[in-house]
Amino acid sequence: MRYFFNRLGFLLISLWAAVTLNFVLPRLMPGNPAEIMFAKFQGRMLPQELHALELQFGFSNQPWPIQYFQYLGNMITGHFGLSFTYYPVPVATVIATSLPWTIGAVGFATLLSVIVGSFGGILIAWRRGGMLDRTLPIATMFFQAIPYNWSAFMLLFVFGFTLNWFPMYHSYGTNQTPGFNWPFLSSVLRHGVLPVATIFISGVSGWIIGMRNNMINTLGEDYVVFAEAKGVSARRLMFSYAARNALLPQVTGLAIALSSIVGGSILMEQVFSYPGIGFQLNTAVSNEDYPLIQGMFLIIALCVLIANFIVDMVYARLDPRVRTGGASS
Amino acid sequence: MIAEATLPKSQPPAVVKKKRWRNLRAFVRNPRAIAGMSILGIFVFIAVFAPWIARYNPQATEFLPSQGPSAAHWFGTTNTGQDLFSQFVWGTQTTLLVGFGGGTIQLILGLTIGMYGGYKGGVIDAILNVLSNIFLVLPALALLIVIESYIRNTTPLINGLIIGLTGWAWGARVFRAQTMSLVGRDFVVAAKLSGQSDWRIMFTEILPNMYSIAASSFMYSCLGAILAEAGLAYLGLENLNSNSWGTILYWAFNGDAMLTGAWYWFVPPGLAIALVGMSFALMNFAMDQITNPRLNVAKRRGSQRDRA
């Protein structure tokens, strides 16, 4: 329970830090660039709406602390302001329409790569010194260093443009009506293959190598040696004895990798014009739509933080030492 | 922690020094390390001698547009008639500079914050630790995009600076853990008793015991900085007249390289980034093998089982 509140506390502190960054950044920059944005939208927006945004970006005579607490209040109640790009749609609505795409694609791809990668790592550790064991680490190093935008680009070029197997952009065909019908769902799946593949390719090899190294470390532990001496079958030794403990660092690794996966998905969404939060963030940036930028950053941070929190909870489930606080490492 | 298990157990300095030399010698003879150093060496060579290697002005739009690779234009030309090989060569210089620059800033910040927290302990450590954990979980690229959206048209060097200032957290965490495990050792206690200042102890007593960790952290930081710069430039957040691998990708994407089948436009920069990353990983792998005895022990065990 103490562990739970500890992690929850960290979640809240990080969230506060993200909100505060949003508040401080526009005020920190020389010649607040948001000013240009206001000039551009003068007359296209209702005066009181513009006024609310001016307060949000620091064009106000009130002292900083008061501005800050007003800002915090607005964020907590979900008042992110109005988007300029999609005027008069509030930022919160843009978030609601784009978030499911990102969570769907990124979540699925991440789970897939962790599961496939961990199994692959177990297999390679088992056949240590074999062909795969010698070649795969090198391939991994290569794949891990590929920029997401480039792998997305290559996939799109080969499978989208040249072979024409998969559609080139968006998350579903324009002739489909979104809803729970088969043509739409199959279109979503077809559009999702390349985006998911992009994240999968960049991630999976890292999980394989991580699991391989954990397995090798665990296989050296006394209890595994003892089990082996006792005559436990190789399969049981691998899965029940070694793999269970070797999985723990993988879970921690997931928490660390999340931030870079999400960063990669921003690039991936741009290449595929996949209408998730990353794509909206890029749209917002190119339109100098600062309320939308702030809202997108906050929601991306929130998602990563919640995912981290879930990972922490899963870790505690798997490793009882964490929960009880005993034998801390 | 694996790293802790690999530390020499308070040996006299002379032995530690000898061991370090032995490790270094093993490193330069390790085939993986040699491969990694060669790949990186080629790119460093290109970067240093860019003015002599690039044959044309990378910005000059004086050639036939959208030409495939040829003897005159090794990597072809863009849709506005720029020589892609010259762009690539100059881009190598910029990208490596951003990578090493960003990596160095991250290393310095990570070392300072990590070692200081781990060494001091208590409230200072708690605050620094929460700070690095926050920077660790906040999505780095999204944060960079937000910062750059306020600055606009940054040069690659400013990009490197921002990447360095935001990406130090992982290093700090690693160095903190390592410092904490060293702080109670005899040689550190002895240095404390002899009245040396805190910073002196950190940099002359503790730091030499984590060279290999610092080197590996530095390599990952550099790769991270290169990838971040490529991403930012690709999204158009870098001055579009600058020359970097990321800007080549940006122009390839926005110049319809895909629809005209101009693969030679976007393949080289991405491939180059992946190769640089691979060279870092190769060196890292070699270093791991040399400094982590456990990987070797397990290997011996494994091979015995195979023979049986």
Side-chain angles (χ1 to χ4, degrees):
Chain A
M1 227 32 204
R2 207 176 137 217
Y3 176 74
F4 175 80
F5 284 114
N6 190 340
R7 297 325 297 163
L8 193 67
F10 178 68
L11 171 74
L12 293 176
I13 291 180
S14 325
L15 201 57
W16 166 79
V19 173
T20 306
L21 271 173
N22 256 348
F23 176 83
V24 171
L25 279 174
R27 289 167 173 78
L28 211 64
M29 298 299 164
N32 193 337
E35 207 160 353
I36 306 162
M37 167 183 84
F38 290 120
K40 217 163 71 181
F41 285 88
Q42 203 82 45
R44 285 171 59 185
M45 216 175 228
L46 295 177
Q48 62 265 38
E49 288 168 354
L50 209 57
H51 182 66
L53 285 172
E54 280 170 4
L55 292 182
Q56 190 173 339
F57 288 92
F59 297 97
S60 157
N61 295 324
Q62 282 167 317
W64 273 42
I66 293 175
Q67 286 186 36
Y68 181 58
F69 282 109
Q70 277 177 343
Y71 186 82
L72 279 185
N74 279 342
M75 291 298 126
I76 291 166
T77 48
H79 290 94
F80 299 138
L82 292 174
S83 157
F84 286 123
T85 320
Y86 300 98
Y87 180 77
V89 178
V91 170
T93 313
V94 181
I95 291 174
T97 50
S98 49
L99 191 58
W101 294 113
T102 301
I103 291 189
V106 175
F108 180 69
T110 308
L111 283 180
L112 194 71
S113 54
V114 173
I115 293 169
V116 172
S118 296
F119 266 103
I122 295 174
L123 285 180
I124 289 190
W126 197 340
R127 309 217 176 285
R128 224 193 120 98
M131 247 309 267
L132 262 175
D133 188 32
R134 260 175 286 138
T135 50
L136 204 97
I138 314 274
T140 303
M141 296 163 192
F142 182 78
F143 278 111
Q144 261 193 321
I146 292 180
Y148 278 80
N149 44 335
W150 193 67
S151 51
F153 220 75
M154 294 301 285
L155 285 174
L156 198 57
F157 182 68
V158 175
F159 297 104
F161 176 73
T162 313
L163 297 172
N164 213 356
W165 287 358
F166 297 104
M168 302 272 291
Y169 56 84
H170 208 59
S171 59
Y172 56 89
T174 42
N175 51 350
Q176 310 290 340
T177 33
F180 204 74
N181 55 62
W182 176 241
F184 172 70
L185 290 180
S186 71
S187 171
V188 167
L189 288 180
R190 265 171 56 83
H191 282 77
V193 171
L194 292 183
V196 167
T198 306
I199 299 176
F200 181 77
I201 287 176
S202 303
V204 69
S205 46
W207 298 114
I208 297 181
I209 290 304
M211 191 64 186
R212 167 191 174 272
N213 290 347
N214 299 342
M215 282 294 283
I216 288 166
N217 273 322
T218 327
L219 284 173
E221 297 276 353
D222 290 342
Y223 76 97
V224 179
V225 179
F226 178 66
E228 196 187 359
K230 229 171 51 171
V232 173
S233 76
R235 181 184 297 269
R236 219 175 118 77
L237 195 71
M238 279 290 163
F239 286 97
S240 310
Y241 282 74
R244 233 196 110 160
N245 278 321
L247 266 176
L248 282 175
Q250 292 282 89
V251 177
T252 324
L254 181 59
I256 294 158
L258 269 174
S259 146
S260 78
I261 294 173
V262 168
S265 82
I266 296 175
L267 297 170
M268 175 277 283
E269 284 176 9
Q270 178 69 11
V271 175
F272 292 108
S273 308
Y274 202 77
I277 30 181
F279 183 68
Q280 298 292 6
L281 177 63
N282 294 331
T283 314
V285 169
S286 48
N287 290 331
E288 303 185 310
D289 185 348
Y290 288 100
L292 194 56
I293 295 177
Q294 288 201 343
M296 286 302 155
F297 173 67
L298 203 60
I299 202 69
I300 292 173
L302 181 68
C303 288
V304 172
L305 292 173
I306 289 178
N308 250 299
F309 182 73
I310 295 171
V311 166
D312 279 339
M313 290 301 117
V314 170
Y315 190 88
R317 203 58 252 134
L318 291 173
D319 188 353
R321 279 175 304 182
V322 175
R323 260 174 297 157
T324 55
S328 61
S329 50
Chain B
M1 304 248 358
I2 311 160
E4 282 168 27
T6 68
L7 282 169
K9 283 211 172 68
S10 52
Q11 285 151 321
V15 177
V16 174
K17 209 166 225 170
K18 214 176 204 171
K19 199 162 174 197
R20 208 174 296 138
W21 275 114
R22 208 179 58 214
N23 280 349
L24 194 67
R25 259 209 309 280
F27 182 77
V28 294
R29 285 187 192 150
N30 184 299
R32 283 204 173 95
I34 293 171
M37 285 187 288
S38 317
I39 298 174
L40 188 64
I42 292 169
F43 284 111
V44 171
F45 180 85
I46 294 176
V48 171
F49 296 101
W52 293 276
I53 296 172
R55 290 195 274 175
Y56 309 105
N57 175 355
Q59 303 290 350
T61 52
E62 53 189 285
F63 309 105
L64 273 178
S66 302
Q67 296 298 301
S70 63
H73 304 287
W74 290 357
F75 288 0
T77 58
T78 68
N79 64 343
T80 53
Q82 293 162 324
D83 178 49
L84 274 166
F85 182 69
S86 305
Q87 288 197 351
F88 179 82
V89 169
W90 283 102
T92 309
Q93 192 179 59
T94 316
T95 302
L96 286 191
L97 216 64
V98 171
F100 286 125
T104 309
I105 297 172
Q106 287 183 13
L107 180 73
I108 293 171
L109 280 174
L111 266 177
T112 315
I113 294 171
M115 278 204 301
Y116 194 68
Y119 181 82
K120 281 283 179 186
V123 183
I124 297 172
D125 179 40
I127 293 169
L128 289 179
N129 192 31
V130 168
L131 190 71
S132 17
N133 279 337
I134 288 173
F135 267 95
L136 202 62
V137 289
L138 284 184
L141 189 67
L143 180 61
L144 286 172
I145 292 173
V146 173
I147 296 175
E148 305 237 326
S149 76
Y150 289 111
I151 302 179
R152 296 258 143 199
N153 281 333
T154 50
T155 61
L157 286 182
I158 293 179
N159 262 340
L161 186 71
I162 299 170
I163 291 166
L165 290 177
T166 51
W168 49 267
W170 177 240
R173 196 162 142 157
V174 174
F175 297 132
R176 171 178 175 262
Q178 193 66 11
T179 307
M180 280 168 75
S181 78
L182 286 167
V183 122
R185 296 280 168 80
D186 293 345
F187 63 93
V188 178
V189 177
K192 265 186 198 168
L193 289 176
S194 74
Q196 292 182 20
S197 74
D198 288 349
W199 288 107
R200 204 184 142 81
I201 294 174
M202 274 182 248
F203 281 94
T204 59
E205 302 290 337
I206 295 177
L207 181 59
N209 281 294
M210 37 192 205
Y211 276 152
S212 74
I213 294 175
S216 120
S217 161
F218 176 67
M219 287 192 281
Y220 277 119
S221 298
C222 289
L223 176 59
I226 290 174
L227 286 173
E229 193 268 346
L232 288 173
Y234 165 73
L235 294 175
L237 285 166
E238 194 169 280
N239 184 351
L240 296 175
N241 294 321
S242 62
N243 277 302
S244 75
W245 290 344
T247 24
I248 299 179
L249 286 175
Y250 171 86
W251 285 115
F253 191 70
N254 289 286
D256 285 332
M258 175 129 18
L259 299 175
T260 52
W263 56 270
Y264 46 84
W265 195 347
F266 56 82
V267 168
L271 206 61
I273 294 174
L275 282 173
V276 169
M278 193 169 93
S279 75
F280 285 139
L282 279 167
M283 288 186 270
N284 219 350
F285 207 86
M287 214 155 56
D288 241 11
Q289 244 179 2
I290 293 163
T291 55
N292 189 350
R294 201 146 197 195
L295 284 176
N296 288 327
V297 173
K299 193 177 184 177
R300 228 175 293 137
R301 252 176 54 75
S303 54
Q304 271 162 8
R305 194 180 11 236
D306 289 345
R307 251 179 271 127

